[in-house]
């Protein structure tokens, strides 16, 4: 369902509008994936499941974070995002940048 909806939206809505309103469009998917089995540590949404992409990675349908980004966020929260610590990421993913 996720890949089908994504392809339909990409064909209907201009790319610039999609990029500017990505969060709004993703929030429309939230009711379809809400559950209690999993939780995204970036957007804190409780999900029935993550969406499996064609390459096998599991993406959060609400915020769009990939496993690599969720692991990095967990590491940063546990080890570095404490008072007195600072870090510099030269190329953060969009989800980490927004946080």
């Amino acid at each position: 369902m996720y890949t089908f909806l994504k392809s339909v939206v990409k064909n209907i809505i201009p790319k610039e509008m999609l990029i500017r309103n990505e969060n709004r469009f993703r929030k429309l998917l939230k009711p379809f994936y809400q559950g209690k089995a999993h939780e995204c540590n970036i957007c804190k949404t409780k999900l029935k499941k993550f969406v499996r992409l064609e390459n096998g990675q599991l993406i959060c349908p609400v915020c769009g974070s990939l496993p690599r980004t969720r692991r990095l966020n967990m590491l940063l929260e546990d080890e570095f995002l404490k008072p007195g610590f600072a870090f510099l990421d030269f190329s953060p993913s969009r989800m980490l940048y927004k946080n």
Side-chain angles (χ1 to χ4, degrees), residues 1-7 25-26 28-34 37-40 43 45-68 70:
M1 180 172 96
Y2 179 84
T3 52
F4 172 73
L5 288 174
K6 184 177 174 181
S7 66
F25 289 124
R26 286 191 175 280
L28 295 174
L29 293 174
K30 192 173 183 175
F32 298 105
Y33 289 97
Q34 273 187 322
H38 305 283
E39 181 178 5
C40 176
C43 66
T45 303
K46 295 189 185 302
L47 304 165
K48 286 187 265 189
K49 62 180 180 172
F50 287 97
V51 176
R52 184 171 300 278
L53 299 177
E54 293 172 2
N55 62 7
Q57 292 190 8
L58 298 173
I59 189 172
C60 174
V62 178
C63 71
S65 63
L66 294 170
R68 176 178 179 259
R70 291 192 295 273

Side-chain angles (χ1 to χ4, degrees), residues 79-87:
E79 300 294 327
F80 298 106
L81 295 180
K82 297 177 182 176
F85 281 93
F87 70 95

